[in-house]
Amino acid sequence: MIWYILIVGIIVPQSLAHPGFFTSIGQMTDLIHTEKDLVTSLKDYIKAEEDKLEQVKKWAEKLDRLTSTATKDPEGFVGHPVNAFKLMKRLNTEWSELENLVLKDMSDGFISNLTIQRQYFPNDEDQVGAAKALLRLQDTYNLDTDTISKGNLPGVKHKSFLTAEDCFELGKVAYTEADYYHTELWMEQALRQLDEGEASTIDKVSVLDYLSYAVYQQGDLDKALFLTKKLLELDPEHQRANGNLKYFEYIMAKEKDVNKSASDDQSDQKTTPKKREVAVDYLPERKKYEMLCRGEGIKMTPQRQKRLFCRYHDGNRNPKFILAPAKQEDEWDKPRIIRFHDIISDAEIEIVKDLAKPRLRRATISNPITGDLETVHYRISKSAWLSGYENPVVSRINMRIQDLTGLDVSTAEELQVANYGVGGQYEPHFDFARKDEPDAFKELGTGNRIATWLFYMSDVSAGGATVFPEVGASVWPKKGTAVFWYNLFASGEGDYSTRHAACPVLVGNKWVSNKWLHERGQEFRRPCTLSELE
């Protein structure tokens, strides 16, 4: 059931406050084909209507000529027995046929197709999720509303614009979430585009209604009063604005009285609260994380860079890699992050993607308290799990990971394939279970996640880096490569510097697959050390 609450007169549907879920690029491309099919069906309907109208026009032209002749000499016309017969026939039979033609519904095929396809349409939750993705990208990549509205994003192939109505809808989504910071930004953008003369189905009164309240909620009473007066210039009878005007003037008069009664050195100071920006964040490293996503991370010193190398790696004389060793590159020193180049072929990537696509579901995380899998707002992607026994390519990939890392994959989790569309992300997290999560992998019975292997199965036009906020590392997607790092020290203690994140995809499409390797089976492959942090 949808229910509403009144906030200074603006009605908000509470059902929209439910966080939307993200649809992957694979599903979005399916929607493109669905829409194309509907457009074809619509054009068929238009053609049928045009054919029908053409028939009606021919009837009209024929009857127009006939009646024009007949009305010049009605008695002489009907005095001809053939004309008399044909007049009776037309009025009794042919006009009924014309009526049936006019009443014939040509839309059946189109409406039937639309009804069938509608079951695959996105819903309100999807639309809200897409809007939130835009707001997320705006913050992460420091984009202003005008840049987004004009489609001036890096790496775009198909430039697209936001209308004033689109901007208004984005502002409404933010408003529904009580995010008045973004409400103000997008309502102002909508207002600018309307002021520039853009034709739109929305009016300035509606925009100013939301904008004035969003500004008031952020503590800028002067601006809220100014915008309310501007609204009333356009619609003097606006009931809510008239009420708000009186309220704002009352608050300002009250503040003026307080200022007068204050000491002389404080009499000129305003008591209006300082304007708020983005709400207090639950993520302490947000600023550092977003800087890394933009490529503004900590630059490694020359001394440390000298210790990073590229090399050929034969998997400790593994027969499979002696004649064709793997290309290895050091991405970071502490924690040690290694990239393997040309380690998965395009053909293998396509097979893995084809296997995963039918199974893609909203990605989940393991609840540290209950151990249950659940969706969360900070992990937005679609994922699927592939077992080695179901396809020889998956089995071959698993063995390649074992040969190159020297770790036993028989106790590893299945290959997880993930698709991040526009705005898709996974905020900073650990892959391993901390000491306060003793039951995180209890059901697996294979111990903690000792290491992570991550394949990049696509290039990304903009965004989508894997970043490590604790140390300032950014690893950028490159198709056909993989990165590897240990989550645990050899002692079994967790390496907290491996806290990492998947940055939002700004433009394009990101496919990855990862293998989480566990402690069980690695006792002799990676022996425990005497030092806790080695």
Side-chain angles (χ1 to χ4, degrees):
M1 181 178 72
I2 299 176
W3 60 283
Y4 299 85
I5 58 173
L6 192 68
I7 305 181
V8 189
I10 298 179
I11 296 176
V12 183
Q14 285 299 93
S15 63
L16 293 186
H18 189 278
F21 60 85
F22 181 78
T23 32
S24 72
I25 286 289
Q27 290 175 312
M28 297 283 271
T29 54
D30 289 342
L31 290 177
I32 292 290
H33 295 302
T34 296
E35 191 168 41
K36 175 62 177 175
D37 180 58
L38 285 173
V39 170
T40 302
S41 182
L42 179 61
K43 290 169 74 174
D44 290 341
Y45 162 65
I46 293 170
K47 180 67 168 57
E49 289 284 10
E50 288 174 341
D51 290 344
K52 170 182 159 182
L53 189 59
E54 190 62 32
Q55 291 182 61
V56 174
K57 283 171 67 178
K58 287 179 180 179
W59 270 86
E61 289 168 1
K62 182 183 75 171
L63 293 171
D64 184 47
R65 290 192 300 270
L66 194 63
T67 53
S68 294
T69 303
T71 52
K72 289 177 183 177
D73 181 14
E75 289 185 8
F77 186 83
V78 296
H80 193 300
V82 173
N83 287 340
F85 166 72
K86 294 187 71 172
L87 177 62
M88 297 301 106
K89 179 176 176 288
R90 278 199 308 276
L91 292 172
N92 183 54
T93 306
E94 295 181 13
W95 274 99
S96 295
E97 292 174 0
L98 180 59
E99 180 185 18
N100 291 335
L101 176 62
V102 171
L103 292 175
K104 186 177 181 181
D105 189 356
M106 311 303 291
S107 65
D108 286 350
F110 170 68
I111 295 299
S112 176
N113 191 21
L114 181 61
T115 303
I116 292 169
Q117 299 289 5
R118 185 174 278 121
Q119 62 183 312
Y120 306 112
F121 280 14
N123 55 24
D124 287 344
E125 197 175 14
D126 294 312
Q127 185 176 330
V128 169
K132 287 181 179 179
L134 269 178
L135 301 182
R136 188 161 55 246
L137 293 172
Q138 180 183 2
D139 290 343
T140 303
Y141 296 104
N142 271 349
L143 302 171
D144 59 66
T145 53
D146 195 57
T147 297
I148 298 174
S149 181
K150 291 178 179 176
N152 295 325
L153 302 177
V156 293
K157 292 180 181 178
H158 310 285
K159 195 170 181 179
S160 187
F161 303 87
L162 290 175
T163 64
E165 186 180 1
D166 294 331
C167 297
F168 180 68
E169 287 301 319
L170 285 169
K172 280 172 62 178
V173 168
Y175 182 91
T176 305
E177 298 292 311
D179 177 2
Y180 302 113
Y181 170 71
H182 286 106
T183 303
E184 179 184 359
L185 293 179
W186 284 103
M187 290 300 173
E188 284 184 337
Q189 180 63 31
L191 193 61
R192 272 195 299 274
Q193 292 181 206
L194 291 174
D195 287 340
E196 290 168 1
E198 181 182 316
S200 178
T201 56
I202 62 163
D203 54 41
K204 292 181 183 180
V205 170
S206 300
V207 176
L208 286 165
D209 195 9
Y210 279 93
L211 180 56
S212 60
Y213 183 68
V215 168
Y216 162 72
Q217 279 292 335
Q218 294 181 91
D220 195 339
L221 195 56
D222 289 334
K223 186 175 179 181
L225 185 63
F226 169 77
L227 292 168
T228 303
K229 288 179 177 179
K230 191 173 178 180
L231 189 161
L232 289 170
E233 288 175 7
L234 299 172
D235 183 3
E237 304 302 318
H238 197 284
Q239 185 177 358
R240 183 164 48 251
N242 277 299
N244 287 348
L245 179 65
K246 292 177 183 177
Y247 177 71
F248 294 156
E249 288 176 338
Y250 166 76
I251 294 295
M252 293 187 79
K254 194 173 180 181
E255 288 181 352
K256 191 174 181 181
D257 291 340
V258 171
N259 288 341
K260 278 185 178 180
S261 63
S263 58
D264 292 338
D265 60 331
Q266 295 178 334
S267 61
D268 293 329
Q269 294 181 13
K270 291 184 179 181
T271 59
T272 301
K274 186 179 179 181
K275 185 174 178 180
R276 299 194 305 273
E277 290 193 356
V278 181
V280 177
D281 204 332
Y282 60 88
L283 194 64
E285 68 263 64
R286 169 79 63 189
K287 187 176 179 180
K288 189 186 293 185
Y289 155 59
E290 292 183 346
M291 284 180 64
L292 290 169
C293 289
R294 295 191 296 269
E296 302 169 3
I298 301 167
K299 302 302 179 186
M300 192 177 283
T301 62
Q303 289 80 6
R304 288 176 65 188
Q305 285 180 339
K306 287 178 182 178
R307 294 197 289 268
L308 302 181
F309 295 95
C310 292
R311 67 186 70 82
Y312 286 107
H313 179 63
D314 62 10
N316 296 321
R317 304 294 292 170
N318 188 295
K320 297 176 186 175
F321 293 100
I322 290 176
L323 294 178
K327 299 177 214 172
Q328 211 180 63
E329 177 187 1
D330 293 332
E331 286 279 353
W332 205 258
D333 54 354
K334 290 184 180 179
R336 191 181 183 206
I337 305 169
I338 300 170
R339 189 193 292 264
F340 291 85
H341 290 269
D342 302 320
I343 204 63
I344 184 171
S345 69
D346 288 351
E348 288 173 325
I349 287 172
E350 291 308 311
I351 290 170
V352 169
K353 285 166 62 175
D354 288 343
L355 289 170
K357 282 177 182 177
R359 311 183 202 176
L360 287 175
R361 298 291 182 272
R362 174 71 186 267
T364 58
I365 62 108
S366 176
N367 186 304
I369 299 173
T370 65
D372 296 334
L373 295 176
E374 58 189 25
T375 59
V376 286
H377 66 277
Y378 54 82
R379 186 180 192 187
I380 302 174
S381 64
K382 292 288 176 89
S383 65
W385 299 85
L386 304 180
S387 299
Y389 64 80
E390 62 185 292
N391 190 283
V393 169
V394 179
S395 177
R396 186 165 68 240
I397 288 171
N398 288 341
M399 287 310 300
R400 190 176 305 154
I401 294 171
Q402 177 169 302
D403 293 337
L404 290 172
T405 62
L407 298 176
D408 187 354
V409 296
S410 66
T411 59
E413 294 173 49
E414 294 178 345
L415 188 70
Q416 181 182 222
V417 183
N419 179 216
Y420 297 82
V422 174
Q425 64 166 3
Y426 191 177
E427 289 181 355
H429 62 281
F430 298 102
D431 280 351
F432 65 92
R434 274 75 67 214
K435 289 182 178 178
D436 59 347
E437 304 169 326
D439 298 331
F441 306 115
K442 187 176 181 180
E443 288 186 6
L444 297 177
T446 53
N448 212 340
R449 288 172 175 166
I450 191 172
T452 296
W453 177 285
L454 178 64
F455 284 112
Y456 292 113
M457 303 197 301
S458 67
D459 294 313
V460 180
S461 300
T466 306
V467 299
F468 295 74
E470 294 293 319
V471 296
S474 296
V475 180
W476 297 92
K478 184 179 178 184
K479 187 177 182 181
T481 69
V483 290
F484 172 78
W485 68 87
Y486 280 104
N487 297 306
L488 306 179
F489 293 111
S491 63
E493 292 295 319
D495 184 351
Y496 284 79
S497 67
T498 61
R499 184 170 169 83
H500 60 286
C503 294
V505 175
L506 178 58
V507 178
N509 178 21
K510 179 182 175 185
W511 282 91
V512 298
S513 58
N514 64 276
K515 194 79 173 173
W516 283 308
L517 299 111
H518 283 247
E519 292 176 295
R520 185 69 56 81
Q522 321 303 344
E523 293 84 354
F524 299 104
R525 293 172 181 262
R526 194 191 188 214
C528 184
T529 59
L530 296 177
S531 173
E532 185 177 332
L533 300 179
E534 284 185 6

